[in-house]
């Protein structure tokens, strides 16, 4: 019988005791192995560069770089590395920031022994993993947006950025967008860069996918 393919994991938490407990959970599974441990977000990014893990598990509250900042850096540097946030915070703001930072799952430390292994496997299948409270938050956020008639959250992008997002997704160049909106091409490029940063995206293709999901253009 062939051995299970192992998922190579980078684990980052500033508490050694927490890392030890989480590592025990993960190393007990035949398909999961911790290949590196970091005590802060900056070290996590450095170790990710050298170890190229399949999956990074990041605590949100860490010194030097937070888990959210490290997640944003990793998503840009190594988009093939999946990211899970492991946190003590059952907090909607952190949850939505984690999604924007590129994380595919959000696991509470209080139930890590129950949820973490499943979350790791879901991440490697490119499936999101959300704890029940996060699912409730997502549904409530969606219903609030529907009631307000918003295609995307007000806090995400400005109306002007939404206009530019739509035009970029429709295939217009910066020069063409500048002509349509009667602004300079340099201003268009600045708005476009802001969009990529705010939404945690990398290029025109991902902007287009986001615009489709937000209902700005048809697929």
């Amino acid at each position: 019988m062939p051995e299970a393919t192992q998922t190579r994991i980078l684990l980052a938490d500033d508490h050694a005791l927490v890392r030890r407990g989480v590592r025990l959970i993960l190393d007990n599974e035949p398909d999961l192995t911790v290949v590196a441990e970091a005590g802060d977000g900056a070290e996590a990014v450095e170790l990710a560069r050298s170890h190229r893990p399949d999956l990074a598990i990041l605590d949100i509250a860490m010194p030097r770089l937070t888990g959210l900042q490290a997640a944003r850096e990793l998503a840009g540097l190594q988009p093939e590395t999946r990211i899970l946030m492991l946190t003590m915070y059952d907090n909607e703001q952190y949850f939505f920031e984690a999604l924007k930072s590129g994380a595919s799952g959000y696991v509470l430390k209080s139930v890590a022994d129950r949820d973490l292994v499943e979350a790791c496997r879901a991440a490697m299948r490119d499936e999101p993993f959300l704890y029940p409270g996060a699912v409730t938050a997502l549904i409530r956020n969606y219903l609030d947006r529907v009631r307000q008639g918003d295609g995307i959250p007000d806090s995400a992008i400005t109306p002007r950025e939404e206009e530019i997002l739509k035009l970029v997704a429709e295939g217009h160049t910066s020069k063409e967008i500048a002509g349509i909106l009667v602004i300079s091409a340099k201003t268009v490029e600045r708005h476009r860069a802001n969009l990529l940063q705010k939404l945690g995206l990398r290029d025109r293709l991902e902007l287009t996918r986001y615009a489709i999901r937000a209902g700005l253009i048809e697929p």
Side-chain angles (χ1 to χ4, degrees):
M1 187 173 177
E3 290 185 12
T5 302
Q6 283 203 328
T7 295
R8 300 171 68 256
I9 297 171
L10 163 67
L11 174 60
D13 193 293
D14 57 325
H15 295 97
L17 194 60
V18 172
R19 293 200 307 272
R20 193 174 306 132
V22 171
R23 184 163 194 156
L24 280 173
I25 294 170
L26 298 173
D27 283 348
N28 222 20
E29 301 297 321
D31 56 329
L32 305 174
T33 181
V34 176
V35 295
E37 291 185 30
D40 60 61
E43 187 183 10
V45 174
E46 291 167 14
L47 289 174
R49 287 176 185 270
S50 55
H51 287 271
R52 312 290 298 188
D54 304 305
L55 175 66
I57 300 175
L58 309 174
D59 181 27
I60 282 183
M62 291 190 290
R64 295 173 73 197
L65 287 180
T66 68
L68 295 171
Q69 291 170 321
R72 283 192 285 272
E73 285 209 27
L74 281 176
L77 287 169
Q78 294 172 206
E80 71 281 2
T81 297
R82 276 77 161 190
I83 298 169
L84 287 178
M85 305 308 299
L86 179 64
T87 178
M88 62 185 289
Y89 301 109
D90 183 355
N91 179 296
E92 288 185 21
Q93 181 181 348
Y94 283 134
F95 164 63
F96 285 113
E97 286 297 324
L99 294 185
K100 285 197 291 183
S101 299
S104 60
Y106 192 94
V107 180
L108 296 180
K109 288 181 179 179
S110 58
V111 289
D113 57 335
R114 183 192 73 197
D115 289 350
L116 186 57
V117 169
E118 184 186 345
C120 290
R121 290 171 179 156
M124 296 313 297
R125 295 193 301 267
D126 281 329
E127 296 172 4
F129 181 90
L130 309 175
Y131 67 99
V135 175
T136 302
L138 270 179
I139 293 170
R140 183 164 58 246
N141 178 266
Y142 174 78
L143 292 175
D144 286 345
R145 284 162 49 195
V146 169
R147 277 194 292 269
Q148 294 166 11
D150 294 335
I152 49 181
D154 286 339
S155 59
I157 62 176
T158 66
R160 174 62 92 188
E161 288 169 343
E162 182 177 316
E163 287 179 317
I164 288 171
L165 171 60
K166 186 175 188 301
L167 292 167
V168 167
E170 287 173 350
H172 294 284
T173 65
S174 293
K175 187 176 179 181
E176 288 169 344
I177 294 171
I180 293 168
L181 299 179
V182 198
I183 56 178
S184 71
K186 191 173 181 180
T187 300
V188 174
E189 288 297 330
R190 188 171 68 248
H191 281 306
R192 184 170 167 170
N194 286 342
L195 277 167
L196 291 171
Q197 183 178 11
K198 278 186 179 182
L199 302 174
L201 305 177
R202 291 188 296 273
D203 51 32
R204 176 194 285 268
L205 177 59
E206 292 195 351
L207 282 173
T208 302
R209 287 174 180 158
Y210 183 93
I212 291 170
R213 290 198 304 272
L216 296 177
I217 63 170
E218 292 185 1

